[in-house]
Amino acid sequence: MARKGIVALAVPVVLSALMTAGVAPARSQAPSQSPIDITPASIRVDPHLPPLQISYGHHAAGDLHYVRKDAAATDGCAVRDHEETEEFEVEPGAGHVTLSGVRYDLVQFHFHTPSEHRFGGHADPLEMHLVHRSAAGALLVVGVPLRVGAASTVDKVLSRLAPECGEEVHLADIDLNTLLPVNRATARYTGSLTTAPFTEGVQWFLMGEKTVTQATVSRFQGLFHGGNARPVQPLNGRTVRVELPHL
């Protein structure tokens, strides 16, 4: 196959929006912060990237809870802080990924509106972050943009949102494997947490999009009227590596 054809296959579906116009403002002066806007000039195809091996359970349990950032405020239960979110805490051992022989256990996944990462300036309605941690404490996050379409497992997770000051929502049977797109190709870069303390050294793996219903998007955005996404940050010379497809 010609190199041009191989490169086209290597880019996940989500990167199809690379050529759309508009770039969100960059505000951080830190050298390696997240999220970022992935532009055509930032992408490098790397045929030697180690595979991300994914081992997710099909019948996992966990609790959806509201992550508070304003617990000390008297009106905290009614006011939405921009760093708050809905987070699903996964039962230990329910899922993990392996990269270059290192295991990273899935700890939780949470959501942002609009999507924090941009592709050529394009944002999706939601973005899901699946946070993994190694035994040494290193972080690896898989990012999945969510756009309106057919129902998916994400709709089940977000069918009832946990209140900021109230009980968690327990879910007993979540197929973690179906949270990710069928095409597991990734766009990779090194960045940071997108909420305080904005710790750097986080390995980011961005995948193609999943779909959710409009009802789910509206429900989540109805809770976070002003959004809960951090603006994109400067690339500062970083590149985004894209793997070749595993045929």
Side-chain angles (χ1 to χ4, degrees), residues 14 115 119 124 126-128 143-147 206-211:
V14 68
S115 62
F119 297 90
D124 284 293
L126 300 174
E127 183 175 340
M128 176 172 56
V144 180
L146 304 171
R147 60 186 56 167
L206 305 179
M207 290 189 176
E209 78 277 358
K210 289 284 288 186
T211 58

Side-chain angles (χ1 to χ4, degrees), residues 3-241:
R3 177 174 175 78
K4 182 177 180 182
I6 295 176
V7 171
L9 285 173
V11 181
V13 174
V14 68
L15 296 184
S16 63
L18 275 172
M19 299 307 295
T20 58
V23 178
R27 299 180 183 177
S28 173
Q29 298 304 310
S32 299
Q33 288 286 294
S34 297
I36 61 172
D37 182 19
I38 300 175
T39 62
S42 69
I43 294 177
R44 301 290 183 272
V45 175
D46 186 347
H48 304 296
L49 288 176
L52 181 68
Q53 300 172 333
I54 300 168
S55 301
Y56 280 4
H58 292 281
H59 301 282
D63 296 300
L64 183 72
H65 65 272
Y66 189 101
V67 176
R68 295 191 67 188
K69 295 290 185 175
D70 55 5
T74 57
D75 61 350
C77 293
V79 176
R80 301 287 168 253
D81 184 280
H82 69 283
E83 289 192 354
E84 296 179 336
T85 189
E86 293 279 333
E87 178 179 287
F88 187 85
E89 186 175 351
V90 181
E91 61 182 350
H96 69 273
V97 299
T98 304
L99 180 69
S100 299
V102 178
R103 172 171 168 151
Y104 297 80
D105 285 293
L106 178 63
V107 179
Q108 50 95 347
F109 55 93
H110 61 268
F111 303 87
H112 296 275
T113 186
S115 62
E116 293 199 307
H117 288 91
R118 306 291 176 99
F119 297 90
H122 171 78
D124 284 293
L126 300 174
E127 183 175 340
M128 176 172 56
H129 291 166
L130 299 105
V131 181
H132 306 74
R133 181 181 293 113
S134 73
L139 294 176
L140 185 155
V141 183
V142 175
V144 180
L146 304 171
R147 60 186 56 167
V148 175
S152 68
T153 301
V154 176
D155 291 284
K156 181 177 180 180
V157 174
L158 296 179
S159 62
R160 199 182 104 201
L161 301 181
E164 181 168 0
C165 299
E167 294 295 323
E168 299 176 329
V169 177
H170 181 72
L171 295 169
D173 190 15
I174 296 295
D175 187 347
L176 297 177
N177 197 58
T178 57
L179 291 173
L180 303 178
V182 174
N183 181 358
R184 300 292 173 84
T186 59
R188 312 178 183 188
Y189 80 99
T190 301
S192 72
L193 298 178
T194 63
T195 58
F198 307 109
T199 305
E200 295 189 349
V202 176
Q203 298 182 79
W204 280 94
F205 287 70
L206 305 179
M207 290 189 176
E209 78 277 358
K210 289 284 288 186
T211 58
V212 294
T213 63
Q214 180 61 58
T216 291
V217 171
S218 298
R219 185 181 305 114
F220 192 87
Q221 292 181 339
L223 183 61
F224 297 98
H225 298 284
N228 66 339
R230 188 188 192 196
V232 294
Q233 308 297 304
L235 276 172
N236 290 331
R238 286 176 289 172
T239 58
V240 179
R241 296 180 298 164

